[in-house]
């Protein structure tokens, strides 16, 4: 799988396969969301936004999406990976690694020296994947406020 | 976070064995390398054998061989064989959980424990071996 895989920028013809892959994994089809992401991240000429796919003989095996974010809460510009997925049948074949390597290379070309991501605590599979590539806890703590339960 | 002695011995043993899956490890080898009690270690190795993480071989030169999937086995999988870190902070560090203060403290400690558990669940033995290798490479070579 790894040898025959080409990692390239997404094209509009890939969206049906991406929507199907996401729906198969999450159980929730979101076509509008993916078309919107394509327009924001997949069109040509983006210098800081990246939407890449793994293509094996015309079949989409996975995708990765990320961007360079500048000065969030005082943090110098860094690369953010906010989406990565691999077809369940193609896992453990190096597809995710190739996708991550490609977006990290894009971040390097964009001039950043840190890559970050954010995952649910119980997403063990993807957490383990990022850990296996050397990612460790960042010096940040994600917080949330439950608006339903918050006092006025 | 402090792990119990048996848990720490188990993690060390798994990493030693998984780092050389072609080799057998013995309690005496690990005990000598880490300066720990061979008696305690032998019990830990037997438990790892019962859990299917180690395969025991008998006879002269016998010992244990790693028999798990290093890319799937996590630190949490090993830890939970020896202690229940889920039940670590039920009582707010001694404060009475029947009080408002006790419940608020318990909430903070539970939050910390959840983060710790998620960290242990996210790190596989294979990832740990890569970290060990990086540590080894970062050390200055002996003259």
């Amino acid at each position: 799988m790894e040898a025959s895989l080409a990692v390239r920028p997404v094209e509009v013809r890939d969206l049906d396969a991406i929507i199907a892959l996401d729906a198969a994994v999450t159980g929730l089809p979101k076509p509008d969301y993916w078309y919107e992401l394509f327009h924001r991240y997949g069109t040509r000429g983006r210098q800081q936004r990246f939407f890449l796919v793994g293509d094996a003989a015309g079949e989409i095996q996975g995708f990765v999406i990320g961007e360079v974010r500048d000065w969030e809460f005082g943090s110098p510009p860094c690369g953010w990976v906010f989406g990565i997925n691999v077809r369940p049948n193609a896992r453990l074949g190096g597809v995710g690694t190739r996708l991550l390597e490609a977006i990290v290379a894009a971040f390097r070309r964009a001039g950043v020296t840190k890559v970050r991501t954010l995952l649910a605590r119980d997403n063990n599979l993807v957490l383990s994947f990022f850990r296996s590539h050397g990612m460790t806890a960042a010096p940040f703590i994600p917080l949330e406020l439950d608006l339903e339960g918050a006092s006025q | 976070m402090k792990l119990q002695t048996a848990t720490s011995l188990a993690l060390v043993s798994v990493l030693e064995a998984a780092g050389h899956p072609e080799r057998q490890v013995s309690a005496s080898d690990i005990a000598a390398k880490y300066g720990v009690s061979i008696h305690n270690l032998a019990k830990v190795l037997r438990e790892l054998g019962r859990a299917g993480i180690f395969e025991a071989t008998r006879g002269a030169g016998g010992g244990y061989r790693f028999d798990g999937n290093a890319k799937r086995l996590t630190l949490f999988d090993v830890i939970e064989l020896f202690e229940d870190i889920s039940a670590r902070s039920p009582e707010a560090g001694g404060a009475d959980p029947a009080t408002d203060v006790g419940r608020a403290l318990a909430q903070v400690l539970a939050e910390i424990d959840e983060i710790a558990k998620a960290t242990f669940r996210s790190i596989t033995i294979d990832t740990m071996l890569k970290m060990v290798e990086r540590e080894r490479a970062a050390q200055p070579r002996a003259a």
Side-chain angles (χ1 to χ4, degrees):
Chain A
M1 172 63 68
E2 196 171 351
S4 61
L5 188 82
V7 177
R8 58 168 175 77
V10 68
E11 297 176 14
V12 70
R13 64 186 163 95
D14 302 323
L15 285 178
D16 285 348
I18 290 168
I19 292 165
L21 167 56
D22 175 62
V25 172
T26 65
L28 188 64
K30 309 184 261 308
D32 292 347
Y33 167 76
W34 287 107
Y35 274 93
E36 173 64 21
L37 270 189
F38 174 76
H39 286 298
R40 286 165 53 203
Y41 291 85
T43 48
R44 301 282 177 178
R46 301 285 186 197
Q47 300 298 310
Q48 297 205 113
R49 293 179 174 181
F50 309 98
F51 189 166
L52 309 174
V53 294
D55 178 338
E59 192 174 4
I60 299 304
Q61 305 297 314
F63 60 83
V64 64
I65 314 175
E67 65 184 343
V68 174
R69 294 183 184 172
D70 296 332
W71 302 109
E72 283 183 322
F73 291 100
S75 165
C78 71
W80 264 93
V81 177
F82 65 85
I84 189 165
N85 220 327
V86 174
R87 278 182 54 226
N89 291 346
R91 288 177 186 169
L92 296 176
V95 175
T97 296
R98 288 281 305 279
L99 289 166
L100 184 61
E101 287 171 350
I103 201 164
V104 166
F107 288 145
R108 281 188 203 279
R109 288 194 296 274
V112 300
T113 56
K114 294 270 189 199
V115 178
R116 298 195 175 113
T117 190
L118 181 70
L119 289 155
R121 277 204 293 251
D122 61 357
N123 192 346
N124 297 329
L125 183 72
V126 184
L127 276 170
S128 300
F129 168 76
F130 283 122
R131 287 272 189 186
S132 76
H133 286 278
M135 293 185 87
T136 58
F140 300 94
I141 296 179
L143 300 174
E144 69 176 16
L145 176 65
D146 181 357
L147 296 180
E148 293 291 324
S151 56
Q152 300 298 307
Chain B
M1 165 169 288
K2 188 165 170 54
L3 296 170
Q4 293 174 9
T5 302
T7 311
S8 299
L9 291 176
L11 291 173
V12 164
S13 303
V14 168
L15 290 169
E16 282 291 328
H20 307 282
E22 73 290 350
R23 264 192 243 158
Q24 292 181 19
V25 296
S26 69
S28 56
D29 291 342
I30 298 172
K33 182 170 178 179
Y34 291 91
V36 297
S37 153
I38 192 168
H39 177 70
N40 291 344
L41 194 56
K43 284 198 289 191
V44 165
L45 297 183
R46 280 196 297 275
E47 183 59 34
L48 290 169
R50 278 195 289 273
I53 295 171
F54 278 6
E55 178 189 31
T57 54
R58 299 187 186 282
Y64 291 90
R65 196 192 305 270
F66 181 70
D67 197 31
N69 180 346
K71 291 195 170 196
R72 284 289 174 261
L73 186 70
T74 68
L75 295 182
F76 189 84
D77 295 330
V78 177
I79 290 168
E80 70 174 349
L81 292 173
F82 294 89
E83 60 184 288
D84 182 6
I85 58 172
S86 301
R88 205 165 256 267
S89 323
E91 293 171 358
D96 184 352
T99 65
D100 294 344
V101 168
R103 285 194 297 276
L105 280 172
Q107 190 177 326
V108 173
L109 294 175
E111 187 179 308
I112 293 167
D113 280 356
E114 284 302 314
I115 294 170
K117 280 188 285 182
T119 302
F120 286 135
R121 283 197 189 98
S122 74
I123 301 177
T124 64
I125 297 305
D126 187 65
T127 295
M128 279 299 297
L129 292 174
K130 288 178 188 169
M131 291 172 68
V132 170
E133 192 53 47
R134 282 199 292 272
E135 287 296 320
R136 187 175 294 135
Q139 292 298 312
R141 288 172 188 268

